[in-house]
Amino acid sequence: MQIETAILVGILFGCATYMILQTSFVRILFGFVILSNAANLLVLSMSGDPTGKSAPIVRDPNALMVDPLPQALILTAIVIGFGMTAYLVLLLYRLFLDQKTTNAAEMYAETEQEH
Amino acid sequence: MNWTIAPTILPILTALICLVWGQPRRARRVLVAASATLQLAVALFLVVKTYGGEAFVVGLGNWSSGLGIILVIDLLSAIMIALSTLIALASIIYGYFEMSRKVEHPLRLPLVQFLVAGINLSFSTGDLFNLFVAFEIMLIASYALLTLEADDWDIKHAFPYFAINLVGSTLFICGAGMAYALFGSLNFAEISVRAAEMSADPRVLALALLFLVIFGIKAGLFPLYFWLPNSYPTLPAPLAALYAGMLTKVGVYVLLRFFGTVMPHDLHFAHQLLAWLAGATMLLAVIGAISRNFIRGILSFHILSQIGFMVLAIGFFTPLSIAASIFYIVHHIVVKASLFLIGGVALCLNRSDNLNRMGNLWRDFPFLGILFLCQALSLAGLPPLSGFWGKYLIVVAGLDQQAYVLVGISIIASVLTLFSMLKIWNAAFWHTSDEVTVASGDKRARPMTAVVAVLASISLFIGLGAELFFSISKKAAEQTLDQSRYIELVRSYPGKGTGDR
């Protein structure tokens, strides 16, 4: 379980990095969405191997439970990540309206001459 | 009453009232100014108390330290909170004079208050994940302020700022998760206990380096600073002063807290790396400043170069150098904020802050020239101004460590700072030309200059009373490096629960 999760996290980070470095706004947006999910998955895997452990609801005091704290951290991170994604969508939309392009390379092409 | 939460909760309450109140009107402005003054008073009270040896600790929800989030205010936190509330107050008052109520954006004041709340929470928290949340409060408010009144040129430069900080936040979540897996706790005190037991473990060093990257992005360390010099100049002057004064310094504070209080003190590789990155930052950023031709652009690069000095002192990692770093932070925040505000007054008088289109300011508005000269020479480090003492202490600390190359770089950076300050002076103040008009009749210029004069006199006072400020910094450095005191403070908090997980 742990090894598979680690590989999945690695693949997700790789995909996210690749997407963010593209010039299209939509790819950048999806890159950031994947990036935040990769981070959440990484934190989830920090609660250790869940094999043989129950959900963190106390019924039998002697039963082994999954560590609930990373899950609480992820909840916070998901909420913040959601707000960030919403902001990013609006920012990119505003950039599209102003610059009449959805390509980051075109957008920054003439920046050097302006100043 | 427990005062620990006050620096965070007061700005949040003010912001909420402002949001409900809606449109900008005089009473709302008075309320925010009064609240900002109250926050400053609370912060100064905290400084006085913590200088006397007290510390303020509170467990949120009254849970004890192993179970809940702990807020701790020691002398270093109190100094930083006092500085952030001071700069916020100056920026708010200056903003009132610069911009009439009719054109003020209704969300500007609440967002400034949320920003202050986030900054103060990062200074007072004693929990790694709570620090992440504090950063997010601060960053979300700063994104919104950066794009609130932006035109299409500005918003283009807001995007890299947003993108790099989003990456930084994601890395922070990963770092917090790994710290939890490694140490079994997110509490600073508990982490420091466990990290000290396993300081030979390479994973501790790896985690420290990950956090060096995360906090380096916030502080604007080489090679992660490219986003800053383009995004800060798009802000209006009072907000630029607040950003320039405080936001990057949150990164420096966290580096101080993380390497001073949380991590074991024998991570020599990380300290060395910090020192060399700082050397690269100060040299490359000051060269960047020379390439710029408008006041806010030059000053933005200088923020980075000065960050280099503070982080260099952290990298030397002796009690003297940490004290020097804290002294430098105190000096720098006041000077940098007032320079940005001076740039704002000059912009308002010359209708431009491009050096090619400026001039005549010394002839028509000499008082502003005097203020600029004081602050610019202080930034460059000429005695007896505050910058001289900061740089002197850092150089002494460096010579103790036999880090001659780094000390040499810092002196070159200081000379180049002086050069680019003189460039502004020559072009904007000294230069006389019939083509440039100075709007001396502008009614806003005088009260705006008065706000700058107050900040400049504070910074002059720091320079002339360097002894007092250094003794405060020294005490703050002692408290920061005293891990057992910090652990004792946090563990002895009487809250609910046993503290064992």
Side-chain angles (χ1 to χ4, degrees):
Chain A
M1 254 316 250
Q2 292 291 77
I3 299 294
E4 288 91 326
T5 317
I7 292 171
L8 181 59
V9 169
I11 291 173
L12 283 177
F13 266 107
C15 291
T17 312
Y18 177 76
M19 298 274 269
I20 289 170
L21 294 178
Q22 302 291 303
T23 54
S24 154
F25 282 178
V26 179
R27 291 193 182 187
I28 294 174
L29 173 67
F30 280 103
F32 277 116
V33 173
I34 297 175
L35 189 69
S36 76
N37 282 311
N40 290 343
L41 189 60
L42 187 137
V43 177
L44 182 67
S45 71
M46 290 302 153
S47 54
D49 193 347
T51 321
K53 293 180 187 169
S54 66
I57 305 165
V58 181
R59 287 217 183 82
D60 172 15
N62 298 320
L64 278 176
M65 290 189 308
V66 180
D67 188 350
L69 194 82
Q71 304 183 11
L73 301 186
I74 295 170
L75 273 180
T76 317
I78 287 174
V79 174
I80 291 172
F82 179 71
M84 288 295 152
T85 310
Y87 180 84
L88 183 61
V89 171
L90 277 179
L91 183 66
L92 290 174
Y93 182 60
R94 164 83 193 269
L95 284 171
F96 162 67
L97 291 183
D98 287 344
Q99 316 287 340
K100 307 276 181 292
T101 174
T102 55
N103 187 308
E106 265 175 47
M107 183 170 79
Y108 290 102
E110 77 279 55
T111 309
E112 295 310 312
Q113 283 107 52
E114 283 177 53
H115 253 277
Chain B
M1 176 180 171
N2 196 316
W3 290 96
T4 324
I5 193 77
T8 310
I9 210 79
L10 280 174
I12 290 183
L13 284 179
T14 317
L16 291 178
I17 294 172
C18 283
L19 280 181
V20 177
W21 211 329
Q23 290 307 308
R25 54 185 105 183
R26 179 164 293 155
R28 188 173 180 255
R29 285 189 155 191
V30 172
L31 172 86
V32 174
S35 162
T37 318
L38 180 66
Q39 290 161 29
L40 179 60
V42 170
L44 289 177
F45 164 78
L46 291 173
V47 171
V48 172
K49 281 286 185 185
T50 47
Y51 185 64
E54 261 184 73
F56 295 84
V57 185
V58 72
L60 296 183
N62 201 27
W63 292 100
S64 67
S65 73
L67 297 170
I69 292 165
I70 288 274
L71 300 187
V72 184
I73 294 187
D74 61 1
L75 185 53
L76 177 61
S77 311
I79 292 173
M80 297 305 291
I81 291 170
L83 288 166
S84 78
T85 47
L86 171 73
I87 301 302
L89 179 63
S91 136
I92 287 167
I93 302 285
Y94 182 97
Y96 290 170
F97 292 132
E98 190 197 33
M99 193 180 261
S100 83
R101 270 175 292 136
K102 294 187 189 78
V103 290
E104 184 190 289
H105 196 287
L107 286 176
R108 186 162 169 181
L109 287 175
L111 284 171
V112 169
Q113 288 298 306
F114 277 127
L115 185 68
V116 174
I119 294 172
N120 286 351
L121 183 60
S122 357
F123 290 149
S124 44
T125 188
D127 183 279
L128 198 55
F129 197 77
N130 193 234
L131 181 67
F132 165 71
V133 175
F135 270 17
E136 290 306 309
I137 297 173
M138 177 177 94
L139 286 172
I140 291 170
S142 80
Y143 303 147
L145 274 174
L146 197 64
T147 48
L148 193 63
E149 293 156 285
D151 59 24
D152 50 353
W153 195 79
D154 295 343
I155 210 144
K156 231 161 79 171
H157 292 285
F159 180 62
Y161 175 82
F162 179 67
I164 187 81
N165 278 305
L166 207 51
V167 172
S169 302
T170 313
L171 287 179
F172 199 161
I173 301 176
C174 302
M178 290 184 204
Y180 179 70
L182 193 55
F183 303 118
S185 174
L186 287 164
N187 192 303
F188 283 170
E190 299 302 323
I191 291 179
S192 82
V193 173
R194 285 167 217 188
E197 288 164 5
M198 50 199 281
S199 68
D201 192 330
R203 286 178 297 174
V204 176
L205 180 64
L207 196 69
L209 292 179
L210 176 61
F211 276 102
L212 194 154
V213 173
I214 296 162
F215 300 144
I217 291 176
K218 303 280 184 253
L221 268 187
F222 173 82
L224 303 163
Y225 67 59
F226 59 90
W227 52 273
L228 191 146
N230 289 327
S231 59
Y232 279 21
T234 63
L235 285 161
L239 294 179
L242 184 58
Y243 278 49
M246 293 319 299
L247 288 194
T248 46
K249 256 57 73 186
V250 174
V252 179
Y253 162 82
V254 177
L255 281 173
L256 265 175
R257 176 66 75 206
F258 189 72
F259 284 102
T261 312
V262 181
M263 283 286 122
H265 287 175
D266 53 1
L267 297 172
H268 300 299
F269 175 70
H271 300 156
Q272 280 288 315
L273 188 65
L274 263 182
W276 283 101
L277 287 178
T281 312
M282 63 173 86
L283 196 62
L284 294 173
V286 86
I287 293 171
I290 293 171
S291 75
R292 288 294 161 115
N293 208 29
F294 59 113
I295 293 182
R296 278 176 292 178
I298 295 176
L299 291 178
S300 300
F301 262 113
H302 277 299
I303 302 172
L304 297 169
S305 149
Q306 307 289 314
I307 290 286
F309 279 90
M310 299 165 209
V311 177
L312 178 66
I314 301 175
F316 288 149
F317 213 76
T318 58
L320 173 69
S321 76
I322 300 285
S325 177
I326 296 170
F327 183 89
Y328 206 92
I329 293 174
V330 175
H331 137 76
H332 169 83
I333 288 177
V334 180
V335 167
K336 189 89 257 170
S338 58
L339 276 173
F340 266 93
L341 296 181
I342 291 170
V345 181
L347 172 71
C348 165
L349 286 170
N350 267 166
R351 305 286 182 236
S352 167
D353 76 344
N354 186 322
L355 292 179
N356 296 333
R357 291 194 286 273
M358 295 183 77
N360 296 342
L361 286 176
W362 178 252
R363 193 186 68 192
D364 295 346
F365 216 81
F367 184 57
L368 188 68
I370 295 170
L371 292 177
F372 176 78
L373 215 52
C374 274
Q375 300 304 70
L377 295 181
S378 177
L379 192 73
L382 262 63
L385 299 163
S386 53
F388 170 73
W389 301 110
K391 286 184 178 162
Y392 173 74
L393 289 166
I394 291 173
V395 166
V396 168
L399 291 179
D400 279 351
Q401 299 270 300
Q402 275 129 28
Y404 300 117
V405 178
L406 286 167
V407 168
I409 291 176
S410 75
I411 290 170
I412 294 172
S414 303
V415 174
L416 292 176
T417 309
L418 185 62
F419 172 75
S420 59
M421 286 296 130
L422 288 180
K423 188 166 123 184
I424 300 180
W425 170 259
N426 284 336
F429 291 90
W430 211 239
H431 176 69
T432 49
S433 153
D434 297 332
E435 290 159 27
V436 182
T437 51
V438 175
S440 311
D442 198 320
K443 283 203 191 79
R444 299 177 296 169
R446 273 178 201 288
M448 278 154 71
T449 316
V451 176
V452 182
V454 173
L455 281 183
S457 52
I458 291 174
S459 120
L460 211 57
F461 179 61
I462 297 175
L464 297 176
E467 182 82 39
L468 168 71
F469 285 90
F470 183 63
S471 73
I472 296 176
S473 314
K474 213 170 142 199
K475 194 145 189 182
E478 276 163 21
Q479 290 189 7
T480 310
L481 292 174
D482 190 352
Q483 293 180 320
S484 50
R485 176 176 180 269
Y486 192 87
I487 295 163
E488 175 60 30
L489 272 176
V490 171
R491 283 198 169 163
S492 63
Y493 178 74
K496 288 183 285 187
T498 55
D500 299 324
R501 258 184 331 97

